[in-house]
Amino acid sequence: DGVFWPMAPAGRYVARGTLLGEVRDFHGALVQEVRAPAAGIVLVILSSPPVKAGETIATIAIPASR
């Protein structure tokens, strides 16, 4: 649980491993970096700061292979 600080806006293409944001505790200490699990377009990213463990923080659209 903590406060989510987004760093990648919706609509941006991200590579796998791109930093999407950080979760910090209520004292400001880093709890976890949130990174893109795959390359794609950020469709949705959480904008309300409080988060709970296991909550969806972002949705990434993965383009289909051609």
Side-chain angles (χ1 to χ4, degrees):
D1 296 358
V3 178
F4 178 65
W5 295 96
M7 296 180 181
R12 177 177 289 170
Y13 179 86
V14 293
R16 181 176 183 214
T18 298
L19 184 64
L20 299 176
E22 298 175 336
V23 177
R24 294 187 172 267
D25 68 18
F26 296 104
H27 301 287
L30 182 64
V31 173
Q32 180 179 356
E33 289 185 335
V34 178
R35 295 191 174 272
I41 299 168
V42 178
L43 292 181
V44 177
I45 191 155
L46 193 67
S47 62
S48 60
V51 294
K52 295 202 174 275
E55 185 174 357
T56 299
I57 291 178
T59 302
I60 298 175
I62 301 170
S65 300
R66 293 181 187 209

